[in-house]
C-alpha cells in the first residue's frame, strides 16, 4: 500500500508539472509568434506607405536591419532585395503571400526550413504602383526553442522529481502508519481520520465470526459433492499428474468392472486397455481426449480433460458414459438406411425395366396393358413405402403425423376400418367381425386409426384363405380398455416374434412381397402406440394364428 501511494503521488506531481510546463511553453510561444507577425505586418505597412510616397529610392537609403525587405514587380520579378542580388533570384509571382497581396492588398505566409528547426514569416503589401513590398523575418521553431531550454528544463525536472519523492514519502508514511499500527484481532470500528475505512474494519471484525461457518459450509459442500458423484450413473475419476487416484465414485468402479477392495494407488490399475491408457496420457499432456472402449459386451465413451494450475497440468478428470443404447440406435439407423435403399431400388428397377421395354416400341400391343398394370402396381407400392417412411420419420423426430386429440368412438372406428378392408377380406374369403362394448377415448384419431388399420390389415393379409379375423373390445378387471385383434392366419415363429416390430423385418419375405407389404406397418404401430401411451402385447402360434392386444391407459378413457 505504501509503494502504491508513493508511486501515485510521484506520478501525479510529475504529470501536473509536465502538463503545466507544456502549457506555459505553448502559450509563450504562441504569444511571441503573434507578436512577431504583428511586428512584421506593422513594419510592412510603414515601408509600403513610405515607398508609395518616395519611391524605390527609399529602400536603398535604409540601413540594413534584422528583417529582410524585398520589392517584387507586378509580373513577379524581384526588383530589390536587402540580402541578395535581385538578378539571381527566381520569379516570385507564385509565392502564397504575393498572390494574396495582389488579390487582397495584404498577404501573409509561413514556410519552414528543410530541417524544421526554423521558420520564416512573410508579409506582403500591394503598392499603389501594383508592385509588391514583402517583409520577412526568421523565427526559431517550437522544437528549436525547446532544445534551447533543454538543460534548464532537465534541471527543473530533476528537482521536481526529488521534491515529489520526498513529499510522497512523507505523505505515504503518514497515511500508512495508523493502518500498520491497527490491531486486527480487535479493530476499532472508527479510526481517526479514516472514516471511509469503517466498513472495512467492521468486515474484518465480522470475518472472524464467519470463518467457522465457512469451514462448516466447505465440509457440507464436500459431502454434497460426494453424494452427487455417488448418485451419478456416469463414472467419475480424478487423478493427479502421476496418475494417482484422488477421488472416484462407485459408478466408475461398476462400469470398469472393479470391486471396491481392488482399487489401487494408480488409476491405470483399474483398466489396462490401450484406449484407457491412451486417453489418460493425452489428458496429462494437456489435451482433450475421447475414446470408445468395450467392457463386458457394453460400449463406453471415455472423456478425459486436463486440470490446469496456471500453465501447468496438475491432473485430469475422467468421465465414463455408457453409450451402448446409442450405439445400438446408430446401428439400427444404418440398417434402416440400407433397407430403405434396397426397398426403394426394387420397385424402381421394375418400373425402369418395363418403361424401357415400352420405350423401344418392341412390346406387342396386347402386352402394353399388362406392362402398364405392373408399372402402376410397383408405383403404388413405392408410394406406400415412402408414405410409411415419412410417418416413421415424423415419429422418430418427436413429432407425429397425428392431429389434435379428440373424442373417438373405438368400436365405430374399428367398424369403419373393417368396411375399408372388406374388398381385401372378400378377395381372400376372410370373415372379419367387430365385437364388444362401446368405448369412447380422448386421443389422436388419425394416429389411433393408423395403428388399428395396420393391425387389421395384417390380420387379413397374413390370414389363410377362408380364415377369420376379429376385433374384440373389452375391459379388464382393473377397468382398463383393451382391443384385441386376432386372426387364424399363418402365425409367427417363436424366434421371430421379438423382431416383427423392427423396420423392414419380414418373417416370410417372398410372401410379404407377394401381398405388397412394406415391412414398416408394425414399426408404425409400435412407435404410434408409444406416442399415445398404449401398451402392446403380441401372442402367436405358427400355423394357428396371431393375436395383438392394445391396452389403453385410463387417462385416455372418456
Amino acid at each position: 500500500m505504501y509503494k502504491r501511494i508513493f508511486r501515485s503521488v510521484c506520478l501525479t506531481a510529475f504529470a501536473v508539472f509536465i502538463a503545466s510546463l507544456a502549457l506555459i511553453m505553448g502559450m509563450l510561444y504562441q504569444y511571441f509568434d503573434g507578436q512577431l507577425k504583428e511586428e512584421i505586418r506593422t513594419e510592412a505597412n510603414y515601408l509600403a506607405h513610405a515607398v508609395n510616397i518616395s519611391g524605390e529610392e527609399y529602400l536603398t537609403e535604409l540601413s540594413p536591419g534584422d528583417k529582410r525587405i524585398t520589392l517584387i514587380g507586378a509580373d513577379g520579378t524581384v526588383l530589390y532585395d536587402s540580402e541578395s542580388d535581385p538578378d539571381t533570384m527566381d520569379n516570385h509571382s507564385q509565392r502564397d503571400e504575393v498572390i494574396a497581396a495582389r488579390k487582397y492588398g495584404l498577404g501573409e505566409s509561413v514556410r519552414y526550413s528543410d530541417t524544421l528547426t526554423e521558420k520564416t514569416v512573410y508579409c506582403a503589401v500591394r503598392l499603389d504602383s501594383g508592385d509588391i513590398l514583402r517583409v520577412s523575418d526568421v523565427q526559431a521553431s517550437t522544437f528549436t526553442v525547446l532544445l534551447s531550454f533543454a538543460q534548464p528544463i532537465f534541471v527543473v525536472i530533476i528537482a521536481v522529481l526529488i521534491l515529489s519523492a520526498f513529499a510522497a514519502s512523507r505523505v505515504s508514511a503518514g497515511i500508512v502508519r495508523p493502518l500498520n499500527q491497527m490491531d486486527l484481532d480487535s479493530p476499532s470500528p472508527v479510526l481517526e481520520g479514516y472514516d471511509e475505512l469503517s466498513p472495512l474494519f467492521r468486515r474484518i471484525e465480522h470475518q472472524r465470526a464467519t470463518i467457522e461457518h465457512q469451514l462448516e459450509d466447505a465440509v457440507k459442500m464436500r459431502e454434497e459433492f460426494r453424494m452427487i458423484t455417488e448418485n451419478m450413473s456416469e463414472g467419475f475419476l480424478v487423478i493427479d499428474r502421476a496418475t494417482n487416484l484422488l477421488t472416484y465414485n462407485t459408478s466408475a468402479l461398476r462400469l470398469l468392472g472393479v470391486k471396491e477392495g481392488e482399487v489401487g494407488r494408480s488409476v491405470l490399475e483399474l483398466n489396462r486397455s490401450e484406449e484407457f491408457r491412451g486417453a489418460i496420457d493425452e489428458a496429462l499432456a494437456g489435451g482433450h481426449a475421447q475414446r470408445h472402449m468395450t467392457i463386458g459386451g457394453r460400449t463406453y465413451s471415455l472423456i478425459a480433460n486436463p486440470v490446469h494450475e496456471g500453465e501447468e497440468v496438475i491432473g485430469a478428470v475422467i468421465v465414463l458414459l455408457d453409450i451402448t443404447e446409442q450405439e445400438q440406435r446408430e446401428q439400427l439407423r444404418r440398417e434402416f438406411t440400407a433397407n430403405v435403399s434396397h426397398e426403394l431400388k426394387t420397385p424402381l428397377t421394375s418400373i425402369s425395366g418395363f418403361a424401357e421395354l415400352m420405350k423401344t416400341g418392341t412390346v406387342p400391343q396386347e402386352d402394353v396393358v399388362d406392362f402398364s398394370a405392373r408399372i402402376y402396381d410397383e408405383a403404388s407400392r413405392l408410394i406406400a413405402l415412402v408414405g410409411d417412411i415419412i410417418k416413421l420419420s415424423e415419429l422418430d423426430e418427436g413429432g407425429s403425423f397425428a392431429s389434435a386429440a379428440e373424442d373417438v368412438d373405438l368400436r365405430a372406428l374399428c367398424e369403419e376400418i373393417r368396411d375399408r378392408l372388406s374388398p381385401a377380406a372378400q378377395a381372400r374369403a376372410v370373415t372379419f367381425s367387430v365385437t364388444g362394448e362401446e368405448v369412447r377415448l380422448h386421443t389422436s384419431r388419425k394416429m389411433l386409426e393408423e395403428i388399428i388399420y395396420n393391425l387389421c390389415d395384417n390380420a387379413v393379409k397374413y390370414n389363410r384363405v377362408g380364415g377369420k379375423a376379429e376385433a374384440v373390445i373389452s375391459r379388464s378387471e382393473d377397468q382398463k380398455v383393451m382391443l384385441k385383434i386376432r386372426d387364424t392366419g399363418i402365425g409367427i415363429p417363436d424366434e421371430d416374434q421379438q423382431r416383427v416390430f423392427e423396420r423392414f423385418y419380414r418373417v416370410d419375405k417372398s410372401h410379404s412381397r407377394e401381398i405388397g407389404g412394406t415391412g414398416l406397418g408394425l414399426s408404425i404401430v409400435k412407435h404410434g402406440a408409444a406416442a399415445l401411451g398404449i401398451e402392446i402385447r403380441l401372442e402367436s402360434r405358427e400355423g394357428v394364428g396371431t393375436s395383438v392386444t392394445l391396452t389403453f391407459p385410463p387417462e385416455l378413457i372418456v
Side-chain angles (χ1 to χ4, degrees):
M1 186 175 181
Y2 172 84
K3 293 181 179 179
R4 187 171 183 178
I5 295 173
F6 178 82
R7 287 196 301 268
S8 299
V9 173
C10 286
L11 290 175
T12 301
F14 183 71
V16 171
F17 169 74
I18 293 298
S20 301
L21 180 64
L23 183 62
I24 292 172
M25 291 293 293
M27 292 177 63
L28 289 175
Y29 185 81
Q30 291 295 326
Y31 173 75
F32 288 117
D33 184 63
Q35 286 291 96
L36 176 62
K37 290 180 178 179
E38 182 63 28
E39 180 181 341
I40 292 175
R41 189 182 303 116
T42 302
E43 187 169 343
N45 285 324
Y46 283 147
L47 288 174
H49 182 68
V51 172
N52 283 332
I53 295 174
S54 303
E56 183 180 341
E57 292 77 7
Y58 177 79
L59 297 176
T60 59
E61 297 174 358
L62 286 176
S63 59
D66 57 348
K67 295 182 178 59
R68 183 176 182 177
I69 301 172
T70 306
L71 181 62
I72 305 167
D75 58 354
T77 304
V78 178
L79 304 176
Y80 168 80
D81 188 85
S82 60
E83 294 185 1
S84 301
D85 183 1
D87 294 334
T88 62
M89 297 178 67
D90 297 332
N91 190 287
H92 283 35
S93 61
Q94 297 302 316
R95 302 295 175 91
D96 295 339
E97 66 277 5
V98 173
I99 295 173
R102 189 181 297 120
K103 186 174 181 181
Y104 303 108
L106 178 68
E108 296 178 328
S109 67
V110 176
R111 286 193 283 277
Y112 287 87
S113 64
D114 293 338
T115 59
L116 300 179
T117 57
E118 61 182 16
K119 65 179 182 180
T120 304
V121 180
Y122 297 91
C123 180
V125 179
R126 187 180 63 206
L127 302 176
D128 294 342
S129 61
D131 295 338
I132 304 298
L133 178 66
R134 186 182 71 179
V135 178
S136 61
D137 195 5
V138 178
Q139 181 186 23
S141 66
T142 306
F143 178 73
T144 306
V145 173
L146 290 177
L147 284 179
S148 64
F149 283 96
Q151 184 175 357
I153 289 176
F154 180 75
V155 173
V156 173
I157 288 176
I158 295 299
V160 169
L161 286 176
I162 294 173
L163 291 175
S164 298
F166 176 74
S169 177
R170 297 296 299 271
V171 171
S172 302
I175 293 174
V176 174
R177 187 180 302 108
L179 298 177
N180 291 334
Q181 296 174 352
M182 184 179 63
D183 184 6
L184 293 178
D185 292 332
S186 56
S188 174
V190 179
L191 192 63
E192 184 178 356
Y194 294 86
D195 297 342
E196 296 83 356
L197 296 179
S198 297
L200 173 63
F201 298 150
R202 285 193 292 269
R203 290 185 62 184
I204 293 175
E205 190 173 1
H206 178 70
Q207 184 178 12
R208 184 175 52 188
T210 59
I211 288 178
E212 293 182 2
H213 296 292
Q214 292 175 352
L215 291 175
E216 292 176 0
D217 291 341
V219 173
K220 183 179 179 181
M221 289 176 62
R222 184 177 63 182
E223 183 63 22
E224 289 176 351
F225 176 77
R226 187 191 66 80
M227 292 178 62
I228 291 172
T229 55
E230 283 300 316
N231 288 281
M232 289 171 54
S233 60
E234 298 83 3
F236 181 78
L237 303 164
V238 180
I239 62 173
D240 62 15
R241 59 186 173 187
T243 74
N244 295 320
L245 192 59
L246 302 180
T247 185
Y248 58 89
N249 63 357
T250 55
S251 293
L253 301 184
R254 175 177 55 81
L255 297 176
L256 292 172
V258 179
K259 296 180 180 179
E260 184 70 34
E262 298 175 353
V263 178
R265 181 178 179 83
S266 174
V267 71
L268 298 177
E269 297 178 18
L270 301 180
N271 189 282
R272 301 183 183 277
S273 66
E274 182 179 350
E275 295 84 359
F276 191 76
R277 182 181 295 273
I280 292 174
D281 290 342
E282 187 173 344
L284 292 178
H288 168 78
Q290 185 166 359
R291 302 281 193 281
H292 285 183
M293 53 189 299
T294 302
I295 303 175
R298 300 191 67 82
T299 305
Y300 300 98
S301 176
L302 175 65
I303 303 172
N305 286 301
V307 177
H308 292 89
E309 185 175 8
E311 297 295 328
E312 184 181 3
V313 177
I314 61 172
V317 176
I318 305 163
V319 178
L320 278 169
L321 305 174
D322 189 342
I323 60 170
T324 305
E325 294 182 0
Q326 178 182 339
E327 288 292 306
Q328 290 174 348
R329 287 195 299 270
E330 180 64 20
Q331 179 63 28
L332 289 175
R333 185 193 66 78
R334 289 193 292 266
E335 292 178 358
F336 176 72
T337 302
N339 286 330
V340 167
S341 300
H342 177 73
E343 293 295 333
L344 290 175
K345 182 179 180 181
T346 301
L348 287 174
T349 301
S350 297
I351 293 172
S352 176
F354 289 129
E356 184 177 4
L357 289 174
M358 294 174 66
K359 182 182 71 171
T360 59
T362 59
V363 179
Q365 188 63 34
E366 60 272 15
D367 292 337
V368 170
V369 175
D370 182 55
F371 277 27
S372 299
R374 293 188 183 185
I375 291 175
Y376 175 80
D377 291 340
E378 294 294 340
S380 298
R381 178 183 167 197
L382 189 60
I383 292 171
L385 177 61
V386 171
D388 286 348
I389 292 173
I390 291 173
K391 293 170 186 176
L392 275 176
S393 297
E394 291 177 348
L395 288 170
D396 286 341
E397 291 173 1
S400 72
F401 54 87
S403 56
E406 57 182 295
D407 288 347
V408 182
D409 187 328
L410 182 58
R411 177 162 178 168
L413 179 60
C414 291
E415 291 174 346
E416 179 183 331
I417 293 172
R418 177 199 62 191
D419 295 340
R420 288 167 54 190
L421 292 172
S422 179
Q426 292 175 3
R428 299 182 60 81
V430 174
T431 302
F432 197 155
S433 62
V434 177
T435 60
E437 58 183 292
E438 293 185 356
V439 175
R440 297 189 67 82
L441 304 174
H442 187 73
T443 185
S444 168
R445 176 185 176 87
K446 186 175 181 180
M447 186 180 291
L448 181 61
E449 179 181 359
E450 187 73 26
I451 294 170
I452 298 174
Y453 181 85
N454 276 289
L455 293 174
C456 293
D457 186 45
N458 284 349
V460 174
K461 285 181 179 179
Y462 297 99
N463 213 322
R464 57 182 175 82
V465 176
K468 294 181 180 180
E470 60 180 338
V472 181
I473 303 170
S474 62
R475 288 182 185 266
S476 62
E477 293 181 357
D478 54 357
Q479 296 303 306
K480 290 183 178 180
V481 173
M482 295 185 297
L483 171 62
K484 181 176 292 186
I485 301 171
R486 56 194 176 195
D487 61 63
T488 58
I490 60 177
I492 304 172
D494 293 341
E495 62 272 15
D496 293 319
Q497 291 183 18
Q498 298 297 321
R499 302 194 60 189
V500 292
F501 290 100
E502 295 180 10
R503 302 170 186 187
F504 294 110
Y505 185 82
R506 294 183 175 92
V507 177
D508 186 349
K509 293 181 172 58
S510 61
H511 183 63
S512 297
R513 295 187 186 279
E514 181 182 331
I515 63 176
T518 65
L520 295 175
L522 288 181
S523 293
I524 294 174
V525 169
K526 176 185 175 181
H527 287 78
L532 297 182
I534 301 173
E535 179 185 341
I536 302 178
R537 186 175 73 255
L538 182 141
E539 299 172 353
S540 183
R541 289 180 60 189
E542 190 174 5
V544 176
T546 302
S547 174
V548 179
T549 303
L550 303 178
T551 303
F552 298 90
E555 57 267 22
L556 296 184
I557 303 171
V558 179

